[in-house]
Amino acid sequence: MRRTTTSDATIDRGDWPDAVTPWGDAAWRTAVEEFTTRGLTAHGLRPGGRPAVRLRPWSVLVRIPLDDGAHVWFKANPPASAFEAGLGEALGRLAPEHVLRPLAVDAARGWSLLPDGGPVLRDTLTGTTPREAARAWEELLPRYAEIQQALLDRTDRLTALGVPGARTADLPALLDRLLAENAVHLPSADVARLEAARPEIARAAAELAALGVGDSLDHSDLHGGQILRPELGRYTFFDWGDSSVTHPFCSLLVTFRAFGRAHGHEELPRLRDAYLEAWTGPGRTPRDLRRGLTLALRLAALNRAAAWGRLWPGNPGLAIAEGEPPATAWWLRAVLGTPGGDHLKG
């Protein structure tokens, strides 16, 4: 991880020393300082120390110490995910008990000033057994489903805020667009397989849409680093820049992959059942819901592919790992399988 310092900030560039961000623009930094000062003053807060800046191809994040020893966070999103600021403000009204409520927002510029919400779930689960980790997820996933259910009738409002639309019925068209944009990054054999899979993807999307669970908000990157756990039994969801309006079950793709890497796959059926229990209703059997989730885990790769393109202008496509194609193309290729669902038989 590469760190540099300036007279007034410590800069963390991570593995992206050449990432293009607006931080190098002095006028932009001045505007950020004015925004954060206004936001802090409105809440009776005062800065008190050197800020720490994290620059990534997909965001600028600044940790601002306060004079009382606490701290807050400034976040700037690139244009393609600038909707996160307005979405965070809306979620703060619609689901205040479950989300990190911003102190100040500039929706037009994609800026947010956020309170510190405590440690992330991933850190609080360090050293726990897989069963202990699963208990936490069994507890929080129904609460996440509550957010999604509260938004079922508000999807038009979400898209009006700029949240990308990837509605279940439109996922085959999203496949077409992503393939046209990324075919150059894939072997011709993979392009041919994706083209051949198009009718199957269309059938899967139609079957999922017929399940009777409407489109809602999909966080699209729901793992233990995107959930705060200030104390036992409390969970706060944040970092919505990868979100889209699509089938809610798509949310579990990243959850299952991340949990499996950290804690193994044996407990995944418990997470699945805890989440799906919240969606039971007339005409939807557990078997129907499990079938729907299997479909969603495959189709969700399209949303992940789309989200990886939301970078600051001027940055090249990012790869999942060295030697792999850009992440957008990698996730597009994942549609050919069932990523995240292989350990959920039975």
Side-chain angles (χ1 to χ4, degrees), residues 1 66 99 108 131 267 282:
M1 180 177 295
L66 302 179
V99 301
R131 185 68 193 97
E267 302 292 338

Side-chain angles (χ1 to χ4, degrees), residues 23-293:
W23 184 257
D25 183 336
W28 189 88
R29 294 198 307 273
T30 297
V32 167
E33 184 176 357
E34 293 170 351
F35 167 75
T36 57
T37 297
R38 287 194 303 271
L40 293 175
T41 300
H43 292 274
L45 303 173
R46 293 184 299 179
R50 172 182 287 184
V53 181
R54 194 189 77 166
L55 303 181
R56 298 293 187 266
W58 55 84
S59 69
V60 172
L61 190 65
V62 184
R63 183 182 186 272
I64 305 171
L66 302 179
D67 64 352
D68 62 359
H71 60 271
V72 298
W73 301 86
F74 165 80
K75 182 175 184 180
N77 291 81
S81 62
F83 66 83
E84 184 183 359
L87 175 61
E89 186 175 44
L91 291 176
R93 295 191 301 269
L94 297 170
E97 68 276 21
H98 293 316
V99 301
L100 193 62
R101 301 176 66 184
L103 301 171
V105 161
D106 185 328
R109 291 193 283 193
W111 293 356
S112 303
L113 185 65
L114 302 162
D116 181 66
V120 295
L121 174 66
R122 179 174 55 204
D123 292 346
T124 69
L125 295 180
T126 300
T128 62
T129 67
R131 185 68 193 97
E132 290 168 335
R135 287 194 189 100
W137 279 95
E138 288 177 83
E139 190 174 43
L140 73 88
L141 282 172
R143 302 181 194 183
Y144 174 70
E146 286 179 18
I147 299 175
Q148 295 180 302
Q149 290 163 354
L151 298 173
L152 286 170
D153 296 327
R154 294 181 168 90
T155 53
D156 288 343
R157 169 61 176 156
L158 296 178
T159 53
L161 290 170
V163 181
R167 295 181 183 273
T168 308
D170 296 333
L171 289 174
L174 178 59
L175 169 64
D176 295 339
R177 176 175 69 82
L178 290 169
L179 184 55
E181 294 172 350
N182 292 275
V184 67
H185 300 298
L186 292 169
S188 58
D190 284 343
V191 173
R193 291 174 65 204
L194 284 162
E195 291 174 340
R198 210 280 188 183
E200 182 183 355
I201 295 300
R203 287 192 295 271
E207 182 180 348
L208 183 58
L211 179 63
V213 175
D215 290 331
S216 185
L217 184 66
D218 167 21
H219 185 286
S220 193
D221 197 23
L222 190 66
H223 57 74
Q226 313 283 42
I227 303 165
L228 301 167
R229 193 190 196 187
E231 59 187 50
L232 292 179
R234 284 188 58 201
Y235 303 96
T236 304
F237 303 93
F238 74 109
D239 203 351
W240 299 89
D242 285 354
S243 299
S244 62
V245 173
T246 189
H247 199 281
F249 291 8
C250 290
S251 294
L252 294 194
L253 171 60
V254 170
T255 299
F256 287 165
R257 286 172 56 86
F259 187 95
R261 287 195 300 268
H263 307 288
H265 300 93
E266 184 176 349
E267 302 292 338
L268 288 182
R270 293 181 180 271
L271 274 62
R272 173 199 62 195
D273 293 345
Y275 176 76
L276 293 181
E277 174 65 25
W279 294 97
T280 57
R284 294 196 296 268
T285 67
R287 181 178 179 180
D288 294 335
L289 293 171
R290 291 181 181 184
R291 171 60 179 169
L293 178 59

